[in-house]
Each structure stands twice: as structure tokens, then as C-alpha cells.
């Protein structure tokens, strides 16, 4: 089986897409929350990509595509701000297909049968409410056109 395609450009496209959303701070990994005027954390999303997954074609065992996935932690200084972050992330990513040179990326979707619950992180002060959304998309390398002699 061939090595999985480098999926970091997919993560880069997702971060770029999220950064177009008004009213949402976006982090590549660990967040440093900005505080609103009331001292509570502004709505934000932190993207934690996985290493991907190889999907093999059963008939020949050749690498045909892979899957990109990431946890997108949506958070805010209270439940209302967290839920605004959730709505904004879903609005930006659900059914959106990243454009990545050399790759065909399917539209992003949340995992089926996964309904994330909100949690309160009291290890930071002031506390923050967060929800971990899980997004995935199939990724296939685009064929390289033959070189004309």
C-alpha cells in the first residue's frame, strides 16, 4: 500500500475557511482566548487534525484515497458563546469542499451518530464552555496528466 497523501494542506484550507467567519477566533491547535468586554472568552474554534486514514481498494490493495479528519473544539466564555461558535463552525464547514492543489477533497461532514455534549472547563479562569465537533472528508490524489514528448 502506498503512503497516505500529505493531508496538511487540507487542514490549512479548513483553517483559512474558518478564518473568514465573522465573530469567531480560530486557532491551529491550542487556543489563547481573547476576552470580551465582560471578561468572558470570545467564541472560538481550535482545530486539531488527525493523521488521516488510508482506505484501500479491496480488489487490488492499492492506495486509492484517504480520509482527513479533525476535532474542531468550539468554545466560549459561557454556553451561549460556545453555541454561537458551534453554529458558526457548522455553517462554515458542513458540506464545504476544500480546494487543495493536487487533491480532490469531498465535502466535509460531521461523523454520523455523534452528538457532542457541551462541557465546562473549570481549569481556566474564568471558566469556558466547549463542544468537540468531529469533521471528516474523503481525499483522493488527482491524477497527474501525462507529459507530452
Amino acid at each position: 500500500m502506498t503512503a497516505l497523501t500529505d493531508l496538511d494542506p487540507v487542514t490549512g484550507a479548513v483553517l483559512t475557511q474558518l478564518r473568514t467567519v465573522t465573530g469567531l477566533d480560530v486557532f491551529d491547535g491550542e487556543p489563547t482566548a481573547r476576552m470580551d468586554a465582560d471578561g468572558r472568552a470570545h467564541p472560538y474554534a481550535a482545530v486539531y487534525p488527525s493523521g488521516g486514514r488510508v482506505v484501500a481498494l479491496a480488489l487490488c490493495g492499492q492506495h486509492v484515497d484517504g480520509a482527513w479528519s479533525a476535532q474542531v473544539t468550539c468554545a466560549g466564555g459561557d454556553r451561549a458563546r460556545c453555541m454561537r461558535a458551534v453554529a458558526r463552525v457548522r455553517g462554515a464547514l458542513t458540506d464545504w469542499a476544500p480546494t487543495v492543489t493536487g487533491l480532490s477533497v469531498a465535502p466535509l461532514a460531521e461523523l454520523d451518530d455523534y452528538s457532542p455534549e457541551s462541557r465546562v472547563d473549570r481549569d481556566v479562569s474564568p471558566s469556558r464552555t466547549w463542544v468537540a465537533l468531529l469533521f471528516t472528508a474523503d481525499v483522493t490524489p488527482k491524477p497527474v496528466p501525462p507529459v507530452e514528448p
Side-chain angles (χ1 to χ4, degrees):
M1 186 175 288
T2 309
L4 182 65
T5 302
D6 178 16
L7 297 175
D8 199 48
V10 179
T11 301
V14 168
L15 288 164
T16 298
Q17 173 72 358
L18 286 173
R19 288 180 177 130
T20 68
V21 176
T22 302
L24 183 71
D25 293 339
V26 178
F27 301 94
D28 183 358
E30 195 65 31
T32 305
R34 174 172 57 103
M35 299 300 154
D36 286 339
D38 65 357
R40 307 291 297 186
H42 188 74
Y44 67 84
V47 178
Y48 299 94
S50 79
R53 177 175 49 85
V54 174
V55 180
L57 182 62
L59 293 175
C60 64
Q62 292 296 319
H63 165 79
V64 293
D65 60 6
W68 172 91
S69 61
Q71 173 181 308
V72 180
T73 301
C74 301
D78 52 33
R79 188 173 45 144
R81 280 175 257 226
C82 174
M83 292 303 143
R84 282 197 299 272
V86 167
R88 290 169 182 162
V89 167
R90 283 182 168 150
L93 297 183
T94 303
D95 295 328
W96 170 76
T99 301
V100 178
T101 302
L103 298 175
S104 176
V105 183
L108 273 61
E110 287 186 74
L111 295 180
D112 291 338
D113 299 326
Y114 175 72
S115 179
E117 297 176 2
S118 63
R119 303 279 187 208
V120 177
D121 182 357
R122 294 185 185 358
D123 290 338
V124 293
S125 182
S127 65
R128 294 180 200 150
T129 303
W130 61 274
V131 171
L133 302 178
L134 302 176
F135 283 91
T136 188
D138 290 335
V139 178
T140 304
K142 290 182 181 174
V144 178
V147 178
E148 300 279 330

